[in-house]
Amino acid sequence: MVDIQKRLTFASHAELIQIAETTGTPVFIHDENSYREYAQQALNAPNAFGLKVRYAMKANSHKAVLKIFDSMGLHIDASSYYEVKRAMAAGISADKISLTSQEPLNAEQLKELAGMGVLYNATSLLQLKRYGECFTGSNRPLSVRINPGLGSGHNNRTNTGGPAASFGIWHQYLDKVLALAREYSLKITHVHTHVGSGSDWKIWQKAARLTLDVVREMPDVTVVNMGGGYRIDRNNPENSMDFGTVFPVVSDAFRSFADETGRKLQMEIEPGTYLAANSCILVSRICDMVDTGKDGYNFLKLDSSMTELLRPMIYGARHPIILLGKGEQAQKDYVVAGTCCESGDIFTPSEGDPERVSTVKLPEAQTGDYVAITGAGAYGITMSAKNYNSRPICAEAMIRSDGSHVLITRRQKPEEIWANEIEVEI
Ligand SMILES: Cc1ncc(COP(=O)(O)O)c(C=O)c1O
């Protein structure tokens, strides 16, 4: 078992405490070098005929993060109209963005974004039809998302393939896709699948073969996007996916496809978690300690909560928790809780079961101690229950490549929470 108390990925305990003392807590602390190292690993992934890496910006949409990846030549996978706007506001050019949206865009939005050069990935027959109505006879690149018939996620809630998932066009409806392409004279140049987040890579490899079967029937397709989902194990990093061993199988499938059809397909991937998860830590302070008697639990209450990190509460996800600056003292079992008025606001659920409380062994803790929750960079601040209990959105800082650190998000002022509310006479 890896001693997490001794292992912090990118900064010393003293450095994290120093930053937190400047910014106040809770604070997310990002690390530029980590983002760059994970991105470089993805860019180096083995491939057959070329690889484009898109960052799935839903994992962490801060403009500083987007700019780091942009500076390295990564493109962007956006998951909503609004994410496209946000990426462009960060300075990303439209032609580097693809949009895979669950929500169909209206004609005005489609013309605005696709017209500017955003690659549109139709994820339903309705979306494809609407695109056709706007761009009949267009030669511009167009993508369709296919549900290849199987999926896999680190839990059922992150599985986005197979019959129980609404993501993408069911693979057996290919004839309908082709009929719409004919009806509106569209050229489908990209096929996309994403089978889930934290997927079993054997299933991902199988999904790649199934996707190539679909592409066989689509002669205009030159690019296959295999989505994201490449697993980071936050607690046992040695179990994380390794591009070097997982990708060659898929590269071989692309080569066999080329031998058979003469078509050398380019591959795209769109990792979010892999690039962001371990590049950011949430630092909080213990603001209270309670217990429930000799047969009960010892609770540490943090000044962060589900308003910063929701994954433990919705997935039963376990993140490493480290008491900063406490060395290796006697170990004690604690339940680590947030401070929202919500019994599910627990950072130590039973793994995979958000409804059951579990514990973590830590050195003897005291009120005021600093606590780091690592692996918090993906689906942390972007997916949290912001402003619940009217708690202000927290601050974010970044350790730059030169070792300096800067504030990248100032803490929200309470009055900003209700600023959009309109006064009514009651
Ligand atoms: C279409 C699509 N691509 C990429 C991703 C990124 O997944 P991950 O963060 O697991 O790499 C997601 C996340 O769910 C997604 O829905």
Side-chain angles (χ1 to χ4, degrees):
M1 174 94 176
V2 184
D3 185 347
I4 292 159
Q5 189 64 22
K6 285 192 217 146
R7 169 174 58 72
L8 254 187
T9 43
F10 56 75
S12 69
H13 290 206
E15 194 177 4
L16 292 175
I17 292 174
Q18 191 214 333
I19 296 171
E21 276 174 351
T22 326
T23 59
T25 52
V27 58
F28 281 94
I29 302 179
H30 302 249
D31 183 53
E32 180 176 350
N33 280 340
S34 298
Y35 283 116
R36 290 189 180 280
E37 281 164 28
Y38 285 111
Q40 198 54 55
Q41 284 181 30
L43 288 166
N44 293 345
N47 61 86
F49 307 112
L51 175 72
K52 183 179 284 178
V53 180
R54 295 183 181 276
Y55 168 54
M57 67 177 280
K58 67 169 80 64
N60 191 320
S61 320
H62 197 289
K63 64 175 135 185
V65 176
L66 301 184
K67 281 178 168 179
I68 290 170
F69 292 140
D70 188 47
S71 76
M72 297 180 70
L74 274 70
H75 288 220
I76 292 290
D77 156 47
S79 62
S80 70
Y81 171 80
Y82 310 100
E83 276 194 352
V84 175
K85 297 291 245 185
R86 190 169 182 175
M88 289 176 67
I92 314 288
S93 64
D95 61 352
K96 289 186 177 170
I97 303 171
S98 67
L99 172 59
T100 302
S101 169
Q102 284 298 102
E103 185 181 9
L105 269 55
N106 60 38
E108 196 183 327
Q109 292 169 324
L110 268 174
K111 283 180 190 157
E112 178 195 354
L113 298 190
M116 279 186 303
V118 171
L119 173 66
Y120 189 64
N121 187 21
T123 72
S124 72
L125 292 169
L126 172 72
Q127 289 193 16
L128 185 57
K129 182 170 166 25
R130 230 176 242 181
Y131 181 93
E133 286 163 358
C134 291
F135 298 107
T136 305
S138 160
N139 247 342
R140 69 181 76 224
L142 169 64
S143 180
V144 287
R145 177 173 182 171
I146 302 290
N147 177 339
L150 84 178
S152 163
H154 65 82
N155 62 42
N156 272 343
R157 290 180 181 176
T158 65
N159 179 342
T160 56
S166 69
F167 301 84
I169 301 168
W170 186 242
H171 60 110
Q172 288 165 330
Y173 297 155
L174 187 58
D175 53 339
K176 297 183 193 206
V177 170
L178 297 176
L180 280 169
R182 267 195 309 278
E183 181 181 347
Y184 294 104
S185 304
L186 299 173
K187 193 169 166 191
I188 298 173
T189 51
H190 294 54
V191 161
H192 172 280
T193 53
H194 168 73
V195 292
S197 199
S199 49
D200 172 343
W201 49 82
K202 291 248 167 348
I203 294 192
W204 179 78
Q205 289 166 337
K206 192 165 175 201
R209 289 191 288 273
L210 293 173
T211 306
L212 290 175
D213 288 342
V214 170
V215 172
R216 200 169 274 115
E217 312 298 320
M218 304 175 79
D220 293 331
V221 170
T222 53
V223 181
V224 172
N225 185 319
M226 286 305 306
Y230 311 112
R231 193 191 317 147
I232 283 281
D233 188 325
R234 293 167 173 85
N235 295 289
N236 301 297
E238 61 279 5
N239 294 339
S240 297
M241 197 215 63
D242 171 33
F243 286 109
T245 50
V246 173
F247 272 52
V249 174
V250 171
S251 307
D252 285 348
F254 274 55
R255 280 192 204 96
S256 306
F257 183 89
D259 291 344
E260 179 203 326
T261 63
R263 296 163 64 192
K264 294 184 173 175
L265 300 167
Q266 204 205 358
M267 180 154 85
E268 290 189 2
I269 55 170
E270 44 191 39
T273 302
Y274 197 89
L275 309 187
N278 284 338
S279 304
C280 181
I281 293 174
L282 172 61
V283 178
S284 320
R285 271 189 115 165
I286 300 172
C287 57
D288 204 352
M289 293 170 62
V290 299
D291 71 84
T292 45
K294 72 175 174 38
D295 296 324
Y297 295 102
N298 293 302
F299 291 84
L300 302 181
K301 295 196 179 190
L302 304 187
D303 60 6
S304 60
S305 76
M306 59 199 284
T307 49
E308 283 72 42
L309 185 65
L310 196 58
R311 298 185 73 257
M313 288 118 235
I314 59 171
Y315 300 143
R318 290 292 299 238
H319 286 245
I321 298 178
I322 300 155
L323 205 51
L324 293 176
K326 284 291 175 134
E328 296 160 54
Q329 297 172 11
Q331 305 248 301
K332 191 166 170 179
D333 290 317
Y334 290 105
V335 174
V336 180
T339 27
C340 270
C341 193
E342 193 70 32
S343 60
D345 191 12
I346 297 287
F347 289 112
T348 50
S350 193
E351 174 85 59
D353 183 356
E355 295 195 1
R356 287 189 44 214
V357 168
S358 186
T359 58
V360 61
K361 265 197 195 318
L362 294 173
E364 187 85 33
Q366 282 171 355
T367 306
D369 283 347
Y370 286 94
V371 171
I373 301 182
T374 68
Y379 310 100
I381 186 67
T382 50
M383 201 177 70
S384 60
K386 290 189 193 70
N387 289 153
Y388 181 51
N389 284 187
S390 296
R391 294 163 66 100
I393 298 172
C394 72
E396 295 178 79
M398 180 174 276
I399 303 174
R400 302 298 313 269
S401 292
D402 64 4
S404 64
H405 52 86
V406 284
L407 191 68
I408 59 167
T409 304
R410 66 166 174 76
R411 195 173 306 281
Q412 191 178 33
K413 297 189 179 96
E415 55 275 22
E416 290 173 319
I417 299 172
W418 52 87
N420 287 346
E421 293 179 7
I422 295 166
E423 200 63 52
V424 282
E425 279 308 312
I426 305 286

